[in-house]
Structure formats: structure tokens, C-alpha cells
Amino acid sequence: MTSVLYDAPGPKAKVRNRVYTVVGALAVLGLLLFAVLRLAAKGQFEPEMWNIFNNAGVRTNIRNGVLTTLQVFAVAAVLSLALGVLLAVARLSDHKPVRWLATGFIELFRAVPLLITIYALWVILLSYKEELGLTGDSPQFWALVVGLTVYNGSVQAEVLRAGINAVPRGQREAAYALGMSKTQVMTTVLMPQAVRAMLPTIISQLVVTLKDTSLGYVITFEELLYTIQQMASTIVVNDENPYVPMIIVAGAIYVAMCLALSGLANWIERRGRRAKTGIVMAGAGEPVTASDALEGADGTLGGPIDTRRPPDLGGGGGFTP
């Protein structure tokens, strides 16, 4: 079997590749073993290091860090989804100025590193802290939330735009033919199908949003990562700081939160893809509305229309109006 990208390896190349794979795997394992031994020599795996998590103050700080992280994620996730919908619709607008502004906004904040955006917003908010009435950790909170919103909102906008463009063109034309306005077509025909089609990608970006909350560490916002770093720097056990236990615990918490969000996404996706049963059909004396003609059993356009009532035939065999 040949490939346009590379030549299929022969017997000698296959043996050589296996040797390289084994050698590379052994080298990686050796580095990991060396790191573990060095950390063990520093006492990072001693029981006393892990005993710090029995302290009520440590557990309280970790809990507060998790709650703060979830709070930032919840606000940024809602705002980024709303901004994504707005930017996606604006980029598909028939008005060139609106389309150009949306395109420029999306390309700008997708290109600028998120860390720079958050840091710049933090500096601006600190400079105008009194004018804006911000107190305490408010500048850090809003710098992190707004930074996450503009970046992830720009990415979500492109995801939604791809989903809208993937909807068959015939459905849009059928909706316009039934007299729907552009707003009705976007909100009732295109956007619901785009969200359903792109839901896995949307949730994947939300997971990225959750992980990016850790960038608040740079602006000294007391989310989970910053809280863990502060405790690891101040707690001393056997003349050593418990960096490894803190990192392992923090990593496990982040993994658990991301897995929980992914599990929720999979559950929502399964419910969304569940087949709908029962087709509502108009009665003998009821008119068929535009939405009934458009929507089928699976929620897509082109659904069945009531055909149980035959057309009335006039005396001449033609159709009566």
C-alpha cells in the first residue's frame, strides 16, 4: 500500500522504526525515573508531605480556590457564548461595515495571545480602578473574565459560523419562500441546527475556557492555581516546600473538573441526538402553518405536511380555490 505523503517502509525500515520506538520509550522512562528518584531524595514523597491536606486551613483554601475558579468559568462561559452568537451573526450580515467590524474583532483577539490580553486588561482596570468603582480583587476578576470572554467568544463565533454554513442551503431558501424574515430564519432554522451540529466543538472550547482560568495566576488572582502556589511556597515540611503534593492535587482537581464538564457535554449531546417520535399533523379543519410545513419529526426542514384531506374537486374536475 502506497501513500502520497511518504513511501511505505520496507522490512528493514520497519525493524529500524521498532528499534527507535523502544529506545525512545526507554529514554523517556529513564528520565521519569531519574526525576522521581531526585524528588524522593528531596523528601517530596514522604508521608509528612501529604499529611498537610489533613489541615483544615489547607482544605479551606483549596475549596475557596476551586469555587473562585468555577465562578470565573461560569461568568466567562456564559458571556463568551453570548458574544460568540453575536459575532457569528454579525459576520454573516449583509451590511459590509457590520461584517468588517465583526471580522476584525474576531481575527484580532484570536491572534493576540490570551495571556497578553488578560495582562493588558488588568493594567487598564488598575489604572482606572477608582473611576470604575472597583475594589479588592475586582480588577483581577474582571480582567480575567473579559479576557476569557473576548478570546473564547471569538473562537465560538467561528465554530457557530461554520455550523450555520453547514446547514443545507435548501432549508434557508424554503424558509424565505414561506415568508420568514432573516431574523426568523436565523433564530428558528439556522442557529438551532448549527448549535446541535457543533455542540461537541462548543463544549471542547468550554473545557479550554475552564483550563485557561489558571492564567489568573499571572495577575495574582486567587483562583486554584495561585492558591496552590501560595500554599506550596509558605508551607514548610522537613525543611522542604511541598511542591509535588500540591501540584499533583491541583492537577487532579483540574482533571476532575474537565472530565465532569465533558461528561455533561456528552449527556447533553446524547439527549439532543435522541430520535423524536410522534409527528403532529393538522386536523381536517385546521390550516397548516409555515412552521408545521418546515419542521419534521427530527426538527429539520422538509417535514411531512398533512395530506389526509384530499383536495375538493369541482364539477369540471378542476381544483376549487
Side-chain angles (χ1 to χ4, degrees):
M1 181 178 179
T2 59
S3 172
V4 296
L5 299 178
Y6 63 93
D7 295 331
K12 292 184 178 180
K14 290 181 179 179
V15 173
R16 188 165 55 250
N17 291 340
R18 292 192 183 99
V19 172
Y20 291 157
T21 301
V22 173
V23 172
L26 291 176
V28 172
L29 290 176
L31 289 174
L32 290 176
L33 181 60
F34 174 77
V36 169
L37 292 176
R38 289 289 296 173
L39 291 172
K42 292 287 186 179
Q44 291 293 325
F45 299 109
E46 295 296 327
E48 294 82 1
M49 289 288 186
W50 297 91
N51 193 45
I52 60 176
F53 297 107
N54 291 325
N55 185 283
V58 172
R59 294 198 303 269
T60 300
N61 288 337
I62 293 176
R63 182 198 63 193
N64 293 337
V66 171
L67 293 177
T68 304
T69 296
L70 293 177
Q71 181 183 4
V72 172
F73 165 70
V75 177
V78 173
L79 294 179
S80 63
L81 288 175
L83 180 63
V85 172
L86 180 63
L87 291 174
V89 174
R91 190 161 187 181
L92 295 172
S93 174
D94 294 333
H95 305 285
K96 287 185 179 180
V98 176
R99 188 166 65 248
W100 290 344
L101 286 174
T103 302
F105 186 94
I106 291 172
E107 296 302 328
L108 172 64
F109 286 105
R110 286 178 63 200
V112 176
L114 177 56
L115 184 59
I116 294 179
T117 302
I118 294 173
Y119 190 81
L121 289 170
W122 178 50
V123 173
I124 293 172
L125 291 177
L126 282 179
S127 301
Y128 297 94
K129 181 178 179 180
E130 295 181 357
E131 290 81 353
L132 296 174
L134 300 177
T135 59
D137 290 338
S138 296
Q140 291 94 321
F141 175 84
W142 287 112
L144 183 57
V145 167
V146 175
L148 292 172
T149 297
V150 296
Y151 171 74
N152 291 282
S154 300
V155 176
Q156 297 285 20
E158 290 298 276
V159 171
L160 291 172
R161 186 171 71 93
I164 292 172
N165 290 331
V167 177
R169 187 176 181 83
Q171 298 189 17
R172 185 178 319 186
E173 295 173 350
Y176 284 129
L178 289 169
M180 287 187 174
S181 64
K182 184 174 182 180
T183 302
Q184 290 176 322
V185 173
M186 180 63 70
T187 57
T188 63
V189 178
L190 299 179
M191 190 60 71
Q193 296 189 71
V195 171
R196 178 178 295 182
M198 306 304 293
L199 185 60
T201 308
I202 292 173
I203 299 299
S204 297
Q205 190 60 35
L206 289 178
V207 173
V208 174
T209 305
L210 176 58
K211 293 189 293 185
D212 285 345
T213 57
S214 61
L215 295 177
Y217 161 81
V218 178
I219 58 175
T220 67
F221 181 65
E222 295 183 358
E223 41 74 47
L224 178 59
L225 181 60
Y226 184 79
T227 301
I228 289 291
Q229 190 272 338
Q230 290 296 305
M231 289 193 296
S233 300
T234 55
I235 297 175
V236 178
V237 179
N238 296 335
D239 297 329
E240 293 288 343
N241 297 105
Y243 284 109
V244 172
M246 287 291 183
I247 291 173
I248 292 176
V249 170
I253 293 174
Y254 275 112
V255 169
M257 290 191 296
C258 292
L259 288 178
L261 182 59
S262 299
L264 176 62
N266 293 332
W267 178 77
I268 295 175
E269 184 180 2
R270 285 195 301 270
R271 287 186 60 86
R273 294 182 181 275
R274 185 177 300 171
K276 297 180 181 179
T277 59
I279 302 174
V280 179
M281 305 181 72
E286 299 174 1
V288 179
T289 63
S291 60
D292 293 331
L294 278 171
E295 185 173 354
D298 58 350
T300 60
L301 295 178
I305 303 177
D306 184 14
T307 57
R308 294 179 294 176
R309 182 178 58 180
D312 296 330
L313 298 177
F319 293 98
T320 59

